[in-house]
Amino acid sequence: MLGIESSCDETGVAILRWEPDAPGKGLLAHTLYSQIKLHADYGGVVPELASRDHVRKLLPLIREALAQAGLGVRDLGGVAYTAGPGLVGALLVGASVGRALAWALDVPALAVHHMEGHLLAPLLEEDPPEPPFVALLVSGGHSLLVEVKAIGQYTILGDTLDDAAGEAFDKTAKLMGLPYPGGPALAKLAEQGRPGVFRFSRPMTDRPGLDFSFSGLKTQVLLAWQKSDQSEQTRADVARAFEEAIVDTLIIKCRRALEATGARRLVIAGGVGANRRLRAELVAAGEHDGFRVYFPRLAFCTDNGAMIALAGAIRLASGQRQDETVQVRPRWDLQSLPAA
């Protein structure tokens, strides 16, 4: 299975041989190109530039992945591509190439939901989780708590009402003058911060519910930063307090979701899942409360082709495939997917 990811600002390609009992062992190749330098001057992703860069990079990456795997294009048995959600132009690049390649090779094509790919990414590890479990999907565009009864049977327990967690990281970093991409820069700076110098609220944890809201937290940080001496140490102190607020909020909501569903397994996926503080404190919470946490490796927290190849392979194994229409969905409800 060839997997193609092009939903935003990273072009990912992977080749996976389907191994039902150990999906990760079947990963034959994985290539990725990030557009960070392309968008750095603008302080964020420019959709048209992202689409054009996917056009330039996708075919060379497919050739590179085939070479890594020691395969020819005729060895492929299926093509999976991200069909949404994401930037419509970027999605169309991957979908057009993926669908055309499948048609030319006369092999099945699979349109994959981007968030299902993230949700399934921990299955690529040596000790993968088995449903039922709760998944926290946290990235620049999404903050979701999902109950997973089986692959394809998803119930959204909580969603963001405004900024996603990763988006809050990036915007907060930008208002504090940190370089793009702001999220990783802010997390790195937070390691130098002193505990307790600043404290920000844990949004929407003072009431029942599993939804998220981080726009108000971002405003708190802005006001604290503007009123401070804006020294380098203060910048680090603010960054630490902000990161602690985000992490604490996510952990509180995860605990609530596990209690509400009765699940004892928690999957963390998406770019924010690479955050060191979040990983360490979730593991500690699991040891205290008696639940187990599953993470993908750091390379598979961000967008990648391996998770798309895996999701496509699972769908194909259950007998699903796409028709010859090239269709993408910039908005796509995860709960609308059929069971696999």
Side-chain angles (χ1 to χ4, degrees):
M1 177 65 69
L2 177 72
I4 297 173
E5 158 60 30
S6 67
S7 64
C8 190
D9 62 340
E10 285 162 319
T11 315
V13 175
I15 298 174
L16 180 88
R17 183 183 64 247
W18 177 232
E19 300 280 357
D21 297 328
K25 292 183 179 179
L27 185 62
L28 304 179
H30 163 59
T31 61
L32 184 72
Y33 178 81
S34 174
Q35 300 176 2
I36 286 177
K37 291 183 179 179
L38 176 66
H39 301 289
D41 290 342
Y42 305 94
V45 177
V46 181
E48 178 64 17
L49 295 181
S51 303
R52 291 172 181 267
D53 208 49
H54 286 308
V55 171
R56 284 190 289 267
K57 299 299 191 301
L58 186 49
L59 289 180
L61 285 175
I62 291 175
R63 295 188 184 101
E64 182 182 340
L66 287 167
Q68 278 186 22
L71 299 173
V73 69
R74 295 285 176 186
D75 295 317
L76 297 175
V79 181
Y81 56 88
T82 302
L87 303 176
V88 63
L91 290 168
L92 279 168
V93 176
S96 299
V97 171
R99 192 64 200 81
L101 185 58
W103 180 83
L105 297 174
D106 194 24
V107 298
L110 288 302
V112 172
H113 192 293
H114 180 73
M115 298 313 294
E116 182 176 51
H118 275 302
L119 187 153
L120 298 177
L123 271 64
L124 291 165
E125 305 307 320
E126 290 186 2
D127 186 16
E130 293 184 4
F133 55 77
V134 168
L136 173 67
L137 307 179
V138 274
S139 65
H142 301 274
S143 293
L144 291 175
L145 273 168
V146 183
E147 181 182 15
V148 180
K149 296 178 180 178
I151 295 177
Q153 296 182 20
Y154 308 128
T155 301
I156 294 179
L157 304 172
D159 198 352
T160 182
L161 303 181
D162 39 59
D163 290 350
E167 185 179 11
F169 264 101
D170 289 339
K171 289 181 176 179
T172 301
K174 187 173 182 179
L175 65 86
M176 291 174 62
L178 296 175
Y180 177 85
L186 188 147
K188 184 176 181 179
L189 180 64
E191 296 175 1
Q192 305 168 27
R194 298 169 295 181
V197 177
F198 292 89
R199 178 175 172 82
F200 303 117
S201 65
R202 276 55 174 163
M204 297 185 69
T205 59
D206 59 348
R207 69 200 79 172
L210 296 171
D211 288 331
F212 302 96
S213 173
F214 294 114
S215 61
L217 176 60
K218 181 183 60 184
T219 303
Q220 286 184 51
V221 174
L222 174 61
L223 294 175
W225 175 244
Q226 289 177 338
K227 294 176 182 178
S228 74
D229 60 10
Q230 299 191 8
S231 66
E232 286 304 310
Q233 183 59 58
T234 298
R235 195 194 307 266
D237 294 340
V238 171
R240 174 169 182 145
F242 170 79
E243 184 183 57
E244 288 175 343
I246 292 278
V247 168
D248 286 353
T249 300
L250 294 175
I251 292 175
I252 290 169
K253 298 288 185 172
C254 285
R255 280 175 152 155
R256 288 183 184 178
L258 290 167
E259 182 179 357
T261 60
R264 307 314 299 162
R265 288 182 286 272
L266 177 67
V267 162
I268 309 298
V272 180
N275 181 275
R276 291 182 180 180
R277 187 181 303 277
L278 178 63
R279 284 182 170 239
E281 295 197 13
L282 273 172
V283 169
E287 291 173 350
H288 181 272
D289 294 1
F291 63 85
R292 185 171 176 186
V293 189
Y294 297 83
F295 303 95
R297 70 196 75 170
L298 293 179
F300 293 161
C301 285
T302 53
D303 294 350
N304 63 86
M307 67 184 192
I308 303 304
L310 173 62
I314 291 173
R315 293 281 173 184
L316 181 59
S318 68
Q320 299 177 25
R321 62 179 65 196
Q322 305 306 125
D323 59 24
E324 295 182 358
T325 305
V326 178
Q327 183 179 14
V328 297
R329 301 183 185 183
R331 294 184 179 272
W332 190 358
D333 184 1
L334 184 65
Q335 299 173 117
S336 69
L337 296 179

